[in-house]
Amino acid sequence: MSPVIAMNMIAVNITSNDKQMRAHNFSRARGVARFAAVAALGFLALAGCSGGGAKTAENPVPPAQGGGSDYSGPVPATPEVQAFRVEFWQPALASSGCQGCHNASGQAPSFLRTDDVNQAFQQANTVVNRDNPAQSVLVTKVAGGHNCWLSDPEACATILSRWISAWVGSTGSGGRQIQLREPDPLDPGGSKRFPATPPDGFFQVYSLLDQHCSNCHQADSATAQSPFFAAGRRDAPDIQSSPEYLLAYQASISKINLNDPALSRFVVRVGKEKHNCWSSDCEEDAEDLRTAIQAMADLILPDATPNGLLSKAVTLQDGTVASGGNRYENNLIALYEFKTGSGPVAFDTSGIAPAADLNLSGADIGWQRGWGIIIREGKAQASTTASRKFHQLITSTGEYSIEAWVAPGNVTQEDARIVSYSGSTGTRNFTMGQHLYNYEFAGRSSETDGDGGPRLSTDPDAEVLQATLQHVVMTFDPVNGRRIYVNGEFTGDLDGAGGGTLDSWDNSFAFVIGNEVSNNRQWQGVVRLVAVHNRALTLPQIQQNFEAGVGEKFFLLFGVSHLVDVPKAYIMFEASEFDNFGYLFNNPKFISLDPDARPGNIRLKGMRIGVNGAEIQVGQAYRLLDLNISSDEYSPETGQLLSSIGTIVPMEMGAESDQFFLCFDALGSETNACTQYTPGVAPPLTHAGPSSDIGVKLFDGINATMAAITGVSPNNTAVKRSYGNVRQSLPAVHDIQGYLSSHQTAVAQLALTYCNALVNDNGLRSTFFPATMNFTAPLTAGGALNPNGTVLLDTLREKMIGAADTQPLPGDFDATIGGLITTLCSSGTACGTGNRTIEVVTAACGAALGNAATLVQ
Amino acid sequence: MSNMKRSDGTSPLARAAALGVALLSLTWGQQSLAGPREQARRMYERLTGTPPSETLLGELETRLGATPTEASRVETALFIINPNQPHSKDFYSVTLKNWASPWTNRDQSVFAPLNDYSATVIGLVKDDLDFRRLLWDDVVYIGSGAGIRPYSPTSNQHYEDLENNNIDLRTLQLTTQSSLNGLPPEATAGVITSRAGAEAFFIAGTNRAMFRFTMLNHLCRDLEQLQDTSLPPDRIRQDVTRSPGGDSSVFNNNCIGCHNVMDSMAQAFAFYNFDNTAQRLVYTPGQVQPKYLINSENFKPGYVTPDDTWDNRMRLPGRNDVNVLEWGAGSGHGNGAKSLGQELANSGAFAQCQAEKAFRKVCFRSPGSPAEAAAVRQIGVEFRADGSMRRVFARVAAQCAGE
């Protein structure tokens, strides 16, 4: 007997007796449900006033829609027949159409005969697998294409499976058990691999890259952008033996797909993503690249067998399906799992009639691998007729939950509709929406307006909405009103509007995903599951559904018995299609399907994942593993966990074709023959080429310079204030190209402040200027400098400019500053009168101090 | 503007400003091949940010000799920045301060006030201690003076007082961080655990910023240059989505490259946080900060940080291995910020980065010729041998003295 893997599931506490009771209550509930909701509200409000009270009982759930209401045959003989009648027989009669053949006088088995439900029950038992409803003959027959009443046999199979599960009560006890299935032993196939040094054909690819991408993807470019696959110049001598060429090759490896050149990142980036294509036709440019890559790939022969200790190979389809954890779905009224994978319809597989199937429409809406739809522009909408079931079934209980697994495409979209039951942008029954980092819940009730507002939003500071796969549940009940749960946790945001009733709901609205019905509130992202329940799910129920996960999952068994002396030995991964571009590989375990086998002591080191005969170049999360598989750590039921880390394996040819294998540096024996990683290459020395050899001083340097020249302390009150004012207006970079007129204004202001402090302080000025300098006498005579003016000019030149070949010529300085002094003394008030000499000395000092000779280094 | 005073050409201020601009244009382009005097002047101005007095210039010219050599230029530059010489003040108070300030804040602003991070940079150069201690040692520099408030682990006021009062930063004194901020000595890691460093890079977020900015400021490489998609992603935390917007190829082509490198290293800071309320660095030995465990549902099978163990995945063969970043003799893994700081500081990339930064500071540009690039490379090699940042400055000043 093979061991089984117990899935981590939470049992649902619905027994067959519960079901029976529920069935009896159906007819009674319909009439009183609305009253009960209001009464419960009133009761709880009173209970709240008194500080407590007994727990309220769950209202009866209305019956599933469908035929059988006019049944007049023998009553169900046992509670189990009654469960069969309610959970399977009635909905199947209403929806499936199977009774057209499988009736009392038709084709056997007559599991939908309408004359006697007890006989129908006996017939149904012959085609139902109670341990595993999904494997019932009834289900597999339809899944194989036998008279499905929908366009997708898989959807019919899912619905039948759900009805059977509800009937036989497979959710009534502990976790479901998965029977692992041994795959056929296959050896990994060969594929093309990159050699360590550039192959001959690479030069054609490189030439295109160098020609069109070197403005950015080159280390010494002015706008250098890694990776540097355009390093070097294609016309340089000996380019193909240069380090730059090797650098370009290494940077190109991850962008080239030798086995399918059209999937190369280079090709996709330029073509489909239109990234800086060089002609007007991106597709043509991409084709040029693809042709060059193809020519290169044609010259590389595929490796017959990869090196190293290899496991047997498996595809995803060889794995054992492990999906569909134990979800809480007792009050489900609509369910979209998006399993169809193609076509224009996403089926409602809740089994609750009428099925509110969604029609996909829009310019850019399609299917996501591994179950889901990806929406960029478009929506998935049900008809208003089919959507009426939401109104009917939810208003009858007065509460509901909207549950979704979504991956928002970004965190920048505003007022976008994820799931909505509405009539326009301003009228709705409920909406799950996105606004930046927030989920928003608009739910119409007696306490809100017709738009379901004011909306309940998650706290913007919490940023709970992330552009990744998230489980979101929005619940409404008459007491708590609206609540939002993300990834199994209540966000804590409280509904200011409170609870209320749903009397105001409108039954003419349509159920829609991805947009408003009026097409003007587009949401972008991936939807992997949507469910609507006509109960407010409790936190444990929400957590159960969160833990159950979403999407198709497999157990992949990589055979290693040929490497180790253990029968039926496998490395087992949990794998799934993560999205359209990759697989999730998670929780690798060592396990033998022989329950008596024990591993003993086996060393495992360096486990790599390979796809299609080559090890993947990214995501090798188990590459550094180094551990012992031992009997002490091993359990025949669950094996030995090797790592709890998951990794993303890039998709190459699709889930149907990609074949996986493992390579080990050591498994028992050690060979270290898996792919060796290429050592780095020391980057060649680079230089920027000629550039300005001079620059300007920075703010602190200018301040210190002026203090050093004038002898005025930077702690001088006036100077300190002035510097504080202009500090951030002074140059902050040395680059002379960055010097602006505003900088000069600040420099002039500071220079004059220093000179003012210098000239008006007797002590400082007597130190700076010679004793012969007279600050009250004229500076000019006859339109030229007099001796007093000459002393001033000489002092300024000597102390502020200095003598060096790199400084201004003395003659130039004298002409300019001397001219300034002469002009100032000859216009307005004459020097030697009042404070005029002081003013002119200050001005001349400022002009000399704040000029380029002191600023430029 | 009716109230604007019209200039009649007689306003001294207006004329002075105009002349300043005129002289500015006059001087540009006059730089030319220079003799000893010009070289001495340039070296002094580039190193200190201020002009030399005539007397000092004469002395420097003499030291350079009639025909300056590489050796005489280096020796002259060392004389210029000798902290025991009165003329060296502005090298420490102006040049080094402005050099280090951008490293101490996320905006990389040169206007950031003096702080314990930049003071430690200045102090290590002043005392000519092994500059690699910057990233790992139990070291910090503090000042003193009339009216200067004492060092506080909860504010930067001490350093702002020093700066606002134009205190000569050559008076900074070496002390231990652990004696001031309460960290155990083994938890100190130079500027990484400085108050300013923590305020800038341990605040909020996920502490990855400390790794990124340390690499950017001290190994001269941003994550753009370090990203390597071939490294194992097993240490990437749960908060990193593996399918941004539903496209895992974005993760596998972009995100993974940086997080491969970063997450296994930034784990060294798992016990550190900056408490924005108390305004101080917090260290919780043995207890991983909650910021390491946020957004765990983004990718449940991601890495859950259990402690402060770091592993330098860049040592694995690839674009950041020993051939490229020249890792030192360490084991490539350890616990906590101190050993991580040693790992980084002992690399050749750290040494080369100091040489490149000093060159850009003193020469105002990157190396402009193969010969200059080789010279800077050699300066880095020599720094790796002696750890003297002061000599690095002297050597680069000699390189662009304008001969």
Side-chain angles (χ1 to χ4, degrees):
Chain A
M1 180 181 166
S2 300
V4 290
I5 298 299
M7 297 192 65
N8 181 20
M9 299 173 182
I10 303 170
V12 180
N13 295 319
I14 298 293
T15 66
S16 57
N17 285 338
D18 292 332
K19 291 173 185 295
Q20 184 188 1
M21 187 180 300
R22 199 173 65 194
H24 284 305
N25 285 336
F26 279 159
S27 58
R28 220 175 35 180
R30 187 178 288 166
V32 301
R34 184 171 302 174
F35 169 78
V38 177
L41 177 64
F43 171 77
L44 284 181
L46 289 172
C49 293
S50 62
K55 292 176 83 172
T56 52
E58 192 173 84
N59 284 338
V61 175
Q65 301 298 295
S69 58
D70 54 350
Y71 172 67
S72 57
V75 296
T78 65
E80 189 171 5
V81 177
Q82 173 65 13
F84 164 75
R85 177 189 173 187
V86 172
E87 302 290 357
F88 182 89
W89 191 70
Q90 286 181 345
L93 281 173
S95 306
S96 71
C98 298
Q99 69 272 26
C101 298
H102 297 281
N103 53 38
S105 56
Q107 193 170 339
S110 54
F111 55 85
L112 283 189
R113 59 188 304 161
T114 53
D115 58 329
D116 185 346
V117 70
N118 295 299
Q119 289 194 43
F121 170 75
Q122 289 174 6
Q123 289 289 308
N125 272 329
T126 64
V127 288
V128 165
N129 181 336
R130 286 173 174 270
D131 292 333
N132 190 346
Q135 293 301 311
S136 301
V137 173
L138 196 65
V139 176
T140 55
K141 182 88 173 170
V142 173
H146 174 75
N147 291 336
C148 173
W149 61 98
L150 302 172
S151 60
D152 177 19
E154 183 64 34
C156 289
T158 303
I159 293 171
L160 282 170
S161 182
R162 184 173 303 284
W163 289 335
I164 297 169
S165 296
W167 155 31
V168 302
S170 68
T171 58
S173 60
R176 188 155 60 100
Q177 294 186 318
I178 301 293
Q179 192 85 26
L180 290 175
R181 188 162 50 94
E182 284 191 81
D184 296 331
L186 293 173
D187 288 324
S191 66
K192 296 182 179 182
R193 290 174 152 185
F194 288 93
T197 54
D200 291 342
F202 178 66
F203 187 71
Q204 287 305 318
V205 181
Y206 171 75
S207 296
L208 281 172
L209 299 173
D210 182 55
Q211 185 178 353
H212 301 296
C213 312
S214 54
N215 278 350
C216 299
H217 292 285
Q218 185 159 317
D220 51 1
S221 155
T223 53
Q225 180 77 37
S226 176
F228 300 130
F229 47 72
R233 293 179 55 83
R234 63 190 181 286
D235 52 359
D238 300 326
I239 177 66
Q240 293 192 48
S241 57
S242 70
E244 289 87 352
Y245 189 67
L246 183 59
L247 207 62
Y249 173 65
Q250 290 180 340
S252 299
I253 285 177
S254 64
K255 313 295 177 194
I256 293 175
N257 186 331
L258 289 177
N259 295 303
D260 191 346
L263 293 180
S264 298
R265 187 71 186 150
F266 283 140
V267 178
V268 174
R269 190 87 171 111
V270 170
K272 189 179 173 191
E273 299 181 8
K274 303 190 189 314
H275 173 74
N276 291 334
C277 44
W278 48 89
S279 74
S280 58
D281 187 344
C282 292
E283 291 296 336
E284 195 172 295
D285 297 342
E287 179 57 20
D288 290 346
L289 276 167
R290 192 204 63 78
T291 305
I293 293 171
Q294 183 72 59
M296 169 183 163
D298 289 345
L299 296 175
I300 298 175
L301 298 175
D303 291 344
T305 307
N307 294 321
L309 297 170
L310 305 182
S311 72
K312 295 298 179 185
V314 292
T315 67
L316 215 52
Q317 312 310 318
D318 296 329
T320 303
V321 176
S323 55
N326 203 346
R327 287 174 46 81
Y328 181 87
E329 294 180 341
N330 285 6
N331 305 111
L332 198 64
I333 59 172
L335 177 67
Y336 305 93
E337 295 178 287
F338 307 106
K339 292 182 178 179
T340 308
S342 63
V345 179
F347 293 104
D348 170 7
T349 55
S350 64
I352 305 297
D357 298 334
L358 305 174
N359 289 301
L360 276 54
S361 62
D364 198 352
I365 179 170
W367 294 89
Q368 172 90 349
R369 303 190 66 94
W371 305 350
I373 54 171
I374 181 164
I375 304 169
R376 293 191 186 90
E377 184 183 343
K379 64 181 178 181
Q381 183 174 330
S383 68
T384 52
T385 308
S387 300
R388 280 191 188 137
K389 77 169 178 179
F390 296 103
H391 177 272
Q392 181 184 359
L393 297 175
I394 290 174
T395 53
S396 67
T397 60
E399 54 187 73
Y400 60 96
S401 302
I402 318 160
E403 178 189 8
W405 279 97
V406 294
N410 56 63
V411 289
T412 57
Q413 44 197 336
E414 301 176 32
D415 196 17
R417 313 283 196 257
I418 304 174
V419 179
S420 191
Y421 181 30
S422 50
S424 67
T425 55
T427 52
R428 69 200 61 257
N429 290 334
F430 64 68
T431 292
M432 171 190 289
Q434 175 183 354
H435 186 78
L436 304 176
Y437 281 98
N438 313 315
Y439 285 108
E440 290 190 328
F441 186 2
R444 187 177 193 165
S445 74
S446 55
E447 305 302 315
T448 70
D449 59 24
D451 194 27
R455 297 177 190 174
L456 173 65
S457 174
T458 52
D459 181 2
D461 291 338
E463 296 187 351
V464 295
L465 185 149
Q466 299 280 325
T468 189
L469 187 64
Q470 293 188 311
H471 182 241
V472 190
V473 179
M474 296 182 170
T475 67
F476 172 86
D477 67 74
V479 178
N480 297 306
R482 296 167 290 186
R483 289 188 170 213
I484 302 175
Y485 301 80
V486 177
N487 290 335
E489 292 181 6
F490 176 45
T491 60
D493 302 292
L494 298 177
D495 186 355
T501 64
L502 305 182
D503 292 342
S504 57
W505 272 36
D506 190 324
N507 67 359
S508 66
F509 293 161
F511 185 78
V512 62
I513 293 175
N515 205 337
E516 187 54 84
V517 291
S518 48
N519 296 325
N520 50 359
R521 292 293 184 273
Q522 184 67 55
W523 178 80
Q524 294 184 323
V526 174
V527 184
R528 303 199 61 174
L529 180 145
V530 170
V532 181
H533 313 254
N534 64 346
R535 286 288 180 200
L537 296 180
T538 63
L539 182 59
Q541 291 162 353
I542 290 167
Q543 287 172 336
Q544 177 180 341
N545 287 359
F546 172 59
E547 293 296 334
V550 67
E552 196 174 24
K553 297 174 192 166
F554 302 88
F555 288 121
L556 288 189
L557 293 169
F558 293 91
V560 292
S561 277
H562 60 292
L563 301 176
V564 296
D565 188 20
V566 180
K568 296 186 177 183
Y570 293 93
I571 302 291
M572 184 182 78
F573 273 91
E574 293 174 25
S576 62
E577 287 184 75
F578 198 53
D579 55 27
N580 279 0
F581 307 93
Y583 308 94
L584 168 62
F585 276 49
N586 193 15
N587 283 332
K589 292 173 178 171
F590 177 87
I591 192 167
S592 169
L593 299 192
D594 181 344
D596 299 323
R598 296 292 182 273
N601 195 27
I602 302 168
R603 185 182 182 207
L604 183 152
K605 178 187 152 198
M607 182 168 73
R608 325 270 183 89
I609 298 171
V611 182
N612 303 324
E615 291 168 32
I616 56 172
Q617 293 159 3
V618 61
Q620 293 287 12
Y622 314 106
R623 174 182 152 195
L624 301 180
L625 276 187
D626 192 352
L627 50 84
N628 282 332
I629 300 165
S630 66
S631 298
D632 292 344
E633 302 281 329
Y634 180 82
S635 153
E637 287 76 31
T638 58
Q640 178 177 340
L641 185 66
L642 304 177
S643 170
S644 58
I645 296 295
T647 192
I648 305 300
V649 175
M651 188 174 287
E652 287 188 2
M653 295 185 288
E656 298 77 13
S657 311
D658 283 338
Q659 188 191 58
F660 309 99
F661 67 96
L662 302 175
C663 181
F664 306 93
D665 283 337
L667 186 64
S669 58
E670 180 167 358
T671 63
N672 293 316
C674 298
T675 300
Q676 299 301 305
Y677 289 84
T678 310
V681 180
L685 292 177
T686 57
H687 57 88
S691 57
S692 173
D693 199 34
I694 58 174
V696 292
K697 293 177 182 174
L698 303 191
F699 53 99
D700 275 347
I702 292 169
N703 189 37
T705 295
M706 292 182 178
I709 289 175
T710 61
V712 175
S713 167
N715 286 328
N716 175 290
T717 306
V719 166
K720 210 168 180 175
R721 187 188 317 116
S722 177
Y723 183 58
N725 289 338
V726 303
R727 186 168 181 256
Q728 299 213 19
S729 303
L730 292 167
V733 292
H734 291 296
D735 187 353
I736 205 161
Q737 301 290 337
Y739 192 80
L740 307 172
S741 54
S742 59
H743 291 145
Q744 183 58 38
T745 305
V747 168
Q749 191 175 334
L750 188 62
L752 287 167
T753 306
Y754 267 102
C755 288
N756 200 43
L758 167 67
V759 176
N760 288 296
D761 185 302
N762 285 335
L764 287 173
R765 80 185 185 197
S766 63
T767 305
F768 188 87
F769 291 102
T772 53
M773 181 75 202
N774 186 335
F775 290 93
T776 56
L779 297 168
T780 57
L785 295 183
N786 64 13
N788 197 31
T790 304
V791 169
L792 169 64
L793 190 64
D794 290 347
T795 307
L796 292 178
R797 185 190 337 101
E798 180 192 342
K799 296 205 170 180
M800 294 189 174
I801 307 301
D805 287 351
T806 49
Q807 292 296 86
L809 297 173
D812 290 340
F813 178 83
D814 291 353
T816 308
I817 300 295
L820 171 70
I821 297 169
T822 306
T823 303
L824 293 176
C825 284
S826 61
S827 55
T829 308
C831 291
T833 308
N835 281 332
R836 186 61 175 171
T837 299
I838 294 277
E839 287 176 1
V840 173
V841 170
T842 304
C845 167
L849 187 61
N851 79 70
T854 56
L855 289 175
V856 176
Q857 292 176 302
Chain B
M1 302 276 291
S2 58
N3 60 350
M4 180 178 280
K5 193 172 182 178
R6 287 174 62 87
S7 169
D8 59 0
T10 61
S11 161
L13 291 178
R15 296 302 299 266
L19 271 170
V21 176
L23 276 173
L24 192 69
S25 59
L26 186 72
T27 308
W28 285 358
Q30 284 198 357
Q31 308 291 329
S32 59
L33 290 179
R37 185 174 181 79
E38 288 70 31
Q39 290 184 37
R41 184 181 175 93
R42 172 179 281 196
M43 284 170 58
Y44 185 85
E45 281 204 288
R46 293 289 174 94
L47 285 168
T48 66
T50 55
S53 67
E54 280 298 313
T55 313
L56 177 60
L57 186 58
E59 182 179 353
L60 297 178
E61 187 179 358
T62 306
R63 282 175 172 270
L64 276 177
T67 310
T69 64
E70 172 82 12
S72 73
R73 280 195 288 264
V74 171
E75 289 308 312
T76 303
L78 282 172
F79 173 72
I80 291 171
I81 61 179
N82 183 342
N84 298 320
Q85 295 292 335
H87 54 251
S88 67
K89 170 177 174 286
D90 289 325
F91 173 68
Y92 298 95
S93 298
V94 173
T95 304
L96 285 184
K97 189 184 74 175
N98 289 163
W99 186 55
S101 290
W103 313 336
T104 67
N105 64 95
R106 287 194 191 216
D107 296 335
Q108 300 183 285
S109 169
V110 71
F111 292 110
L114 181 72
N115 51 55
D116 54 352
Y117 191 140
S118 47
T120 303
V121 172
I122 295 166
L124 288 174
V125 179
K126 172 182 74 78
D127 291 345
D128 206 18
L129 300 175
D130 189 333
F131 195 66
R132 287 167 288 211
R133 293 170 62 180
L134 186 74
L135 293 188
W136 60 266
D137 205 359
D138 184 7
V139 58
V140 71
Y141 277 80
I142 57 174
S144 59
I148 306 297
R149 287 171 287 187
Y151 178 92
S152 166
T154 59
S155 99
N156 191 46
Q157 62 193 19
H158 171 69
Y159 295 97
E160 288 176 24
D161 286 352
L162 291 176
E163 184 172 32
N164 292 338
N165 289 286
N166 291 294
I167 298 293
D168 184 346
L169 297 182
R170 292 176 302 180
T171 61
L172 288 171
Q173 290 296 312
L174 173 67
T175 185
T176 57
Q177 279 183 31
S178 53
S179 65
L180 296 175
N181 61 12
L183 283 185
E186 65 274 14
T188 57
V191 293
I192 292 174
T193 52
S194 66
R195 191 191 164 280
E199 183 175 21
F201 309 124
F202 281 151
I203 193 168
T206 58
N207 281 4
R208 292 184 176 102
M210 180 60 85
F211 174 73
R212 183 214 162 187
F213 280 94
T214 304
M215 296 300 287
L216 181 63
N217 292 324
H218 299 298
L219 273 80
C220 294
R221 283 166 173 81
D222 203 347
L223 293 171
E224 170 79 8
Q225 287 84 46
L226 294 169
Q227 60 94 15
D228 184 352
T229 57
S230 76
L231 297 176
D234 56 321
R235 295 285 278 276
I236 301 180
R237 294 182 221 160
Q238 293 176 315
D239 61 340
V240 180
T241 175
R242 273 32 173 207
S243 183
D247 185 349
S248 62
S249 67
V250 173
F251 172 77
N252 269 339
N253 278 294
N254 298 303
C255 318
I256 197 173
C258 298
H259 284 281
N260 274 342
V261 173
M262 182 163 52
D263 284 20
S264 64
M265 295 290 263
Q267 194 177 330
F269 312 128
F271 300 155
Y272 296 93
N273 188 27
F274 184 79
D275 183 335
N276 201 31
T277 305
Q279 285 286 297
R280 64 170 298 156
L281 174 65
V282 174
Y283 177 68
T284 52
Q287 186 182 339
V288 174
Q289 289 290 332
K291 61 170 68 175
Y292 275 74
L293 307 171
I294 60 172
N295 293 324
S296 61
E297 299 300 341
N298 277 2
F299 186 66
K300 204 68 180 169
Y303 184 73
V304 181
T305 306
D307 54 29
D308 64 349
T309 304
W310 59 268
D311 280 283
N312 187 359
R313 295 289 166 74
M314 291 181 283
R315 282 181 178 256
L316 294 171
R319 59 184 303 183
N320 302 310
D321 66 10
V322 68
N323 297 326
V324 182
L325 298 187
E326 303 174 64
W327 298 106
S331 64
H333 61 86
N335 289 81
K338 188 181 281 289
S339 55
L340 182 85
Q342 287 173 321
E343 173 80 353
L344 298 178
N346 290 333
S347 68
F350 178 83
Q352 290 303 320
C353 182
Q354 308 318 311
E356 289 168 19
K357 286 188 301 186
F359 188 91
R360 281 199 298 271
K361 181 61 189 170
V362 174
C363 304
F364 301 164
R365 56 180 172 78
S366 296
S369 68
E372 272 190 341
V376 173
R377 167 87 195 164
Q378 183 57 31
I379 291 170
V381 169
E382 290 172 21
F383 170 81
R384 205 176 182 199
D386 63 20
S388 170
M389 196 66 223
R390 203 197 291 173
R391 289 192 71 82
V392 169
F393 270 100
R395 289 180 183 124
V396 297
Q399 282 299 316
C400 52
E403 59 184 310

